[in-house]
Amino acid sequence: MFKLVSQLNSTFSRNLHVSSPVSGSVFMKRQKKVDPEVAKVREARKRKKLEREIREMQKHSRKPKPVEELTIDVKRAKNLSERIREKPIISEEKADERALILKEYTKFCQKQRHADDKWLKESIKRQDAALKELKRLSPELYDAAIQLDQNLLPLQIKGPSLTPPLKGYVSPDGEYIDTSKTWT
């Protein structure tokens, strides 16, 4: 038994090869030897810089941006109790009835969608078959059939071609004043 294990181990070790590129690749960057004192100073600088950035972020995070939409009008805040509606109490039977009606309606809508899809697919299939047959019988008629009909939707728009100027209107000179609010 011992002999068999030693043979297997020697066989596996003979088949294991390590090439020189794996052990020291051309693309691996050589590490420069750095003085330990210089490395400590660099590490301390990085740490101080990170701590300073964290302090700045924390200082700015305490200031929330003002949101104008969240401000409450004083007039409406006084009669807020009058403006709140209470939800109507619905009996359990009524809620069950509404749920059943909703289920029936969704089933109806689903059937209607499937019927519409089926009708569309069949119509397109029939149209393609008719066009293929027309192309086989008469290529000139086929070319005429696939042309767009411009008179299908007659559209005529009549109106003033030029709007009259407004009296007393002073047009801007092209200056743009940015009125958007910024918060720091």
Side-chain angles (χ1 to χ4, degrees):
M1 181 73 182
F2 182 69
K3 207 175 202 182
L4 180 65
V5 172
S6 63
Q7 275 184 329
L8 287 174
N9 284 340
S10 64
T11 307
F12 287 134
S13 64
R14 275 189 247 138
N15 292 333
L16 182 67
H17 298 287
V18 178
S19 61
S20 61
V22 172
S23 59
S25 175
V26 179
F27 301 106
M28 294 293 289
K29 193 173 181 181
R30 273 192 167 172
Q31 295 291 328
K32 294 180 182 178
K33 292 185 179 180
V34 181
D35 187 25
E37 291 297 320
V38 173
K40 285 181 184 177
V41 170
R42 285 182 187 166
E43 188 67 33
R45 280 187 201 149
K46 285 182 184 177
R47 188 176 292 118
K48 283 182 183 178
K49 185 178 178 184
L50 285 172
E51 287 172 356
R52 193 178 324 120
E53 289 177 1
I54 290 171
R55 278 195 307 271
E56 287 292 320
M57 288 173 63
Q58 287 175 345
K59 184 168 60 174
H60 290 297
S61 68
R62 289 185 190 132
K63 297 178 189 174
K65 285 186 179 180
V67 181
E68 293 179 359
E69 292 87 15
L70 294 179
T71 58
I72 298 174
D73 189 18
V74 178
K75 291 179 185 176
R76 283 156 186 88
K78 288 181 180 176
N79 63 356
L80 194 61
S81 60
E82 298 172 8
R83 300 171 144 272
I84 296 175
R85 296 182 188 166
E86 294 181 11
K87 290 185 179 181
I89 300 169
I90 301 172
S91 66
E92 191 174 329
E93 296 141 5
K94 191 75 170 174
D96 291 343
E97 183 183 341
R98 287 183 181 184
L100 288 174
I101 290 172
L102 182 62
K103 283 183 182 180
E104 289 177 18
Y105 179 71
T106 53
K107 286 179 184 177
F108 168 75
C109 289
Q110 185 180 13
K111 285 180 185 176
Q112 196 172 23
R113 269 196 308 273
H114 285 304
D116 288 346
D117 290 344
K118 185 179 176 183
W119 178 80
L120 265 174
K121 286 177 184 176
E122 288 177 1
S123 298
I124 291 170
K125 195 186 300 182
R126 286 191 210 119
Q127 184 181 20
D128 289 341
L131 284 173
K132 282 182 184 177
E133 187 65 24
L134 185 64
K135 189 175 186 179
R136 188 180 63 78
L137 294 175
S138 172
E140 298 86 23
L141 285 176
Y142 172 78
D143 291 337
I146 62 171
Q147 294 298 320
L148 291 176
D149 188 8
Q150 298 297 332
N151 297 327
L152 190 61
L153 293 172
L155 182 65
Q156 295 179 353
I157 299 173
K158 292 183 180 177
S161 58
L162 182 66
T163 53
L166 298 173
K167 293 179 182 175
Y169 176 73
V170 179
S171 63
D173 294 333
E175 295 177 12
Y176 174 73
I177 300 169
D178 187 17
T179 59
S180 58
K181 296 181 181 179
T182 56
W183 294 276
T184 55

